[in-house]
Amino acid sequence: MSLSKQKGVVRYFLQTHFLNLISRVPMIWTSINKASCMLSSVPVLSWLPRYSLRDNAIGDLISGISVGIMHLPQGMAYALLAAVPPVFGLYSSFYPILIYFIFGSSKHISVGTYAVMSVMIGGVTERLAPDTNFMMYDNATNQSMVDVLARDTERVKVAAAVTFLSGLFQMLLGLVQFGFVVTYLSEPLVRGYTTGAAIHVIVSQLKYTFGISPKRHSGPFALIFTVIEVCYLVPETNIGTLVVSLVSIIGLVMVKELNTYLGKKLPVPIPVELLGIIIATVVSWQVNLEGEYGVEVVGEIPSGLQPPVMPTASLFGQVIGDAFALSVVGYGIAISLGRIFALKYGYKVDSNQELIALGLSNTIGGVFQCFAISCSMSRTMVQESTGGKTQVASALSAMVILVIMLWIGALFEELPKAVLAAIIYVNLQGMMKQFMDIPTLWKSNKVDMLVWVATLILTVLFNPDIGLAASIAFSMLTVNEIPGVVIFRSSATLYFANAEMYQDALAEKVRSQELLCTTQAYFDKLSKRLTCFASILLCAYGERDRHLEEGSKPDSTLPRAIILELSPVNFLDTVGVKTLRNVSRLHALISILLNLLTCSASLPPSISLYVL
């Protein structure tokens, strides 16, 4: 149908059917807008009333208990990384999870303590509250010693302040629709960064493995200086601590491998970490590891919950840079994992809503003296594999932690810190296996390999926050832009589940979503927005008529050509083909040339005939 005929049909339709509705449009739109705004801002209101007990309850219950059991050892272990008492890891596994349950848009990810975030916070707390600031003289031994209580109190304040501020950054970015920032965190960059951060984590835990007390180093090359000092202090190793560490690591690895081997035969994985801390606590209590062998233990774990306390505002100026880095890293990891499961199960994760959800989790968590959280791959995999289908599983895992904090936590006061360090080492296996990305990327994309290696080196040589900024800068330098040409590459294949997200991402990339709407697409979009149906439609056609009739030049801000890089697309279903065809047709109407690049051998050679 020609453009003039389409205009005639639309105008007739408006005159005969919609004139009587126009007067009621403002009232209708106000009601719809309020309801949709509430549902989109608080996702739990849209899905919880439709929650199916028959289909989801059993799976969510089993998953929630399984993940809750994992939160206990991981929360305590990652608190060591953050340089705060272990009980604050339990708080961080409770309050933020409940907030994300209400505001999060992903059904499957498990938020809570995360190794990379914890080590970044540990760098801040140890920098602003070092041991040297809390030295006191012991008259009994005539030696100087650290006032551990005062030091830990100050470090908790620092952790809460940087967490609160990072949450504010995330909320602000979400409110201004800044979710697209994740596009600057490519997969090679994220994997190289998490591998480098994992090395920082390992080095930070060596003092608990060997039972030594190295000095804290900060700034560039701090990790190298720390390794040198650890090597210097190795002769002072506490043998009891080292034995506990080795036995714990070997036991945890063996049972985890057994879990992998029997994965399909076991209804739920063996809770190896929980069993590990229970056995270690009993042995430590019976043998008196602290008194007889000098093995450092967790110490006092207070029962109950902490009252809310506003963070110390005077610290904000000292942690603002760290807070922004935490906000970006935490969001990037969570949204990346959330999109993986969204594609797998055919739903959409709202990137801006995720920013708001994580921001609220961290902001409110900071008030309750938690440290910054993100998404854990290991817990998420357990949550999904044990049958978890909604965030009800996460809420149930928080209830497990609540029970532990109220009645059981004090039983783990004799737990050796070396066991918590062993849990951290074993949980970093997956990150260390990412070194295998290097030969794979060498064969597939040498530029991506360069980004991966450079990110790793920059993160190892500098602190994780400075390393992230330098890595992003380096990654952007590897992009060679051609004026007037946009190259678009999706990291996933194109099929029915992500077709809409593919089009949205492409429209955002070229910054011309409104101009890319053709007649039918424009009608479909406007039919859902009754308020502007008549005025916008007629104005759009009037502007388009003048554009066509006056022969004005195309907008110089629009690209002349778009290249779709399709190397990740190994198959196309009918929806995928239709999506590419629509994209080609829409761009053709505004004189933008579309090209397909590096199509997979599994795609039909004639794909361009169906699409272009």
Side-chain angles (χ1 to χ4, degrees), residues 61-269:
L61 177 62
I62 296 173
S63 176
I65 295 174
S66 302
V67 174
I69 290 172
M70 291 183 68
H71 272 299
L72 171 61
Q74 289 189 6
M76 297 174 69
Y78 293 157
L80 295 184
L81 292 178
V84 297
V87 69
F88 290 93
L90 300 183
Y91 299 150
S92 302
S93 301
F94 174 67
Y95 293 107
I97 295 175
L98 294 180
I99 303 302
Y100 186 84
F101 164 76
I102 297 172
F103 295 98
S105 62
S106 174
K107 299 178 182 179
H108 293 89
I109 66 172
S110 173
V111 298
T113 56
Y114 182 62
V116 174
M117 303 284 286
S118 299
V119 77
M120 292 175 69
I121 293 173
V124 182
T125 55
E126 291 184 347
R127 185 183 78 236
L128 297 182
D131 289 344
T132 53
N133 289 3
F134 302 92
M135 301 301 295
M136 63 180 185
Y137 187 76
D138 187 358
N139 293 324
T141 61
N142 293 325
Q143 292 180 344
S144 296
M145 60 183 297
V146 178
D147 185 349
V148 176
L149 181 61
R151 181 201 65 185
D152 288 348
T153 301
E154 184 63 23
R155 287 182 175 180
V156 168
K157 291 180 180 179
V158 173
V162 71
T163 297
F164 181 85
L165 194 56
S166 71
L168 290 182
F169 276 127
Q170 288 174 326
M171 291 174 60
L172 178 62
L173 293 176
L175 291 174
V176 299
Q177 306 290 297
F178 206 66
F180 69 89
V181 70
V182 76
T183 58
Y184 294 101
L185 303 177
S186 64
E187 184 178 5
L189 188 148
V190 171
R191 292 175 70 85
Y193 177 78
T194 52
T195 305
I199 296 175
H200 278 275
V201 171
I202 291 172
V203 172
S204 71
Q205 296 303 290
L206 292 177
K207 60 183 179 181
Y208 297 113
T209 300
F210 293 100
I212 55 179
S213 300
K215 296 179 181 178
R216 184 195 175 274
H217 298 277
S218 60
F221 310 108
L223 182 138
I224 297 175
F225 296 143
T226 302
V227 171
I228 293 173
E229 183 161 1
V230 167
C231 293
Y232 177 77
L233 293 174
V234 163
E236 302 177 14
T237 297
N238 182 301
I239 301 301
T241 301
L242 182 61
V243 170
V244 170
S245 299
L246 293 176
V247 171
S248 300
I249 292 172
I250 293 172
L252 290 169
V253 170
M254 289 177 62
V255 181
K256 279 187 174 288
E257 290 300 320
L258 183 63
N259 265 338
T260 303
Y261 180 73
L262 300 177
K264 296 183 179 179
K265 298 179 181 179
L266 296 173
V268 294

Side-chain angles (χ1 to χ4, degrees), residues 474-493:
F474 179 83
S475 177
M476 296 179 70
L477 290 176
T478 64
V479 179
N480 295 319
E481 292 191 2
I482 304 173
V485 177
V486 171
I487 302 176
F488 181 77
R489 181 181 186 271
S490 172
S491 59
T493 191

